[in-house]
Amino acid sequence: MIRLEVPGRDALELKHLLLDMNGTIALDGELLAGVKERVAALASQLAVYLVTADTHGTAEGVSQQLGCSIVRIEPGAEASRKQALVEQLGPGQVAAIGNGANDVEMLSAAAVGIAVLGGEGLAVDALRAADVVVGSIEDALELLLHPRRLIATLRR
C-alpha cells in the first residue's frame, strides 16, 4: 500500500495499479525500457494489473516480463470496461496510468490518474481526465515510487 497525505485532499491509500499497455508501457506491443524494473519495485506495495485489448498480441509475454496480472478487455467499449475494473477494485484505492481516449473513464474514476505523453501521443480527453500528466512512463512510475513528488504536484 502507498499512503498519500495530500494537503487539501483526503488521505489516499493506494492498493492497486492499473497500467494501460499500448502507448503507455509499450510501443507497438513491445515493453518500453525501464518499465520492468520500476514495476518490480512497486509490486511489493501495489497489486499491479496490465489492462489491455492486446492489439499487438503480445500482452501475455509483457505480463510475464512484469510478473503482473493481465486483464484482457475485449475490443469495443474498452473505456467503460476499464472504468468498471476501477469500480470493482475500489476507486479510492486505485492508481491508473494511461494515454488514450479509451483510458479517460479509468483515469477519472481512479483515486490518482496519471496520463503519459509517449510515442503514441496523448489523447486530449485523457489529459483532461488525469490528475497528473507526465512525459514518460518512467516518470509516471517514479511518482509512485517517490510519493512525495506526487504529493507536491497534487497538494492544494
Side-chain angles (χ1 to χ4, degrees):
M1 176 180 65
I2 297 173
R3 184 167 174 77
L4 300 172
E5 296 282 345
V6 182
R9 295 179 62 160
D10 291 337
L12 300 174
E13 292 185 354
L14 302 175
K15 295 182 180 178
H16 307 281
L17 174 59
L18 304 184
L19 299 170
D20 169 62
M21 185 168 150
N22 289 302
T24 302
I25 67 162
L27 184 62
D28 299 328
E30 298 296 321
L31 188 63
L32 293 169
V35 172
K36 181 179 178 181
E37 298 78 14
R38 287 171 176 89
V39 168
L42 284 167
S44 65
Q45 301 173 75
L46 301 170
V48 181
Y49 303 86
L50 178 63
V51 185
T52 183
D54 201 10
T55 304
H56 297 283
T58 60
E60 189 66 39
V62 170
S63 74
Q64 287 178 1
Q65 288 180 64
L66 296 178
C68 69
S69 300
I70 185 170
V71 179
R72 293 187 192 280
I73 305 290
E74 294 299 320
E78 289 105 329
S80 62
R81 291 186 175 125
K82 288 180 178 185
Q83 179 183 8
L85 178 58
V86 173
E87 299 294 337
Q88 176 187 340
L89 294 172
Q93 300 177 345
V94 174
I97 304 176
N99 78 310
N102 68 359
D103 297 322
V104 170
E105 285 84 354
M106 175 180 75
L107 294 171
S108 293
V112 177
I114 303 172
V116 175
L117 174 57
E120 286 187 8
L122 171 62
V124 172
D125 288 339
L127 178 136
R128 290 185 186 123
D131 297 297
V132 178
V133 177
V134 295
S136 70
I137 184 59
E138 294 92 345
D139 291 340
L141 296 170
E142 286 291 324
L143 285 175
L144 295 168
L145 286 167
H146 304 279
R148 288 185 182 175
R149 296 176 189 172
L150 190 55
I151 291 168
T153 300
L154 295 176
R155 68 179 171 223
R156 295 188 176 147

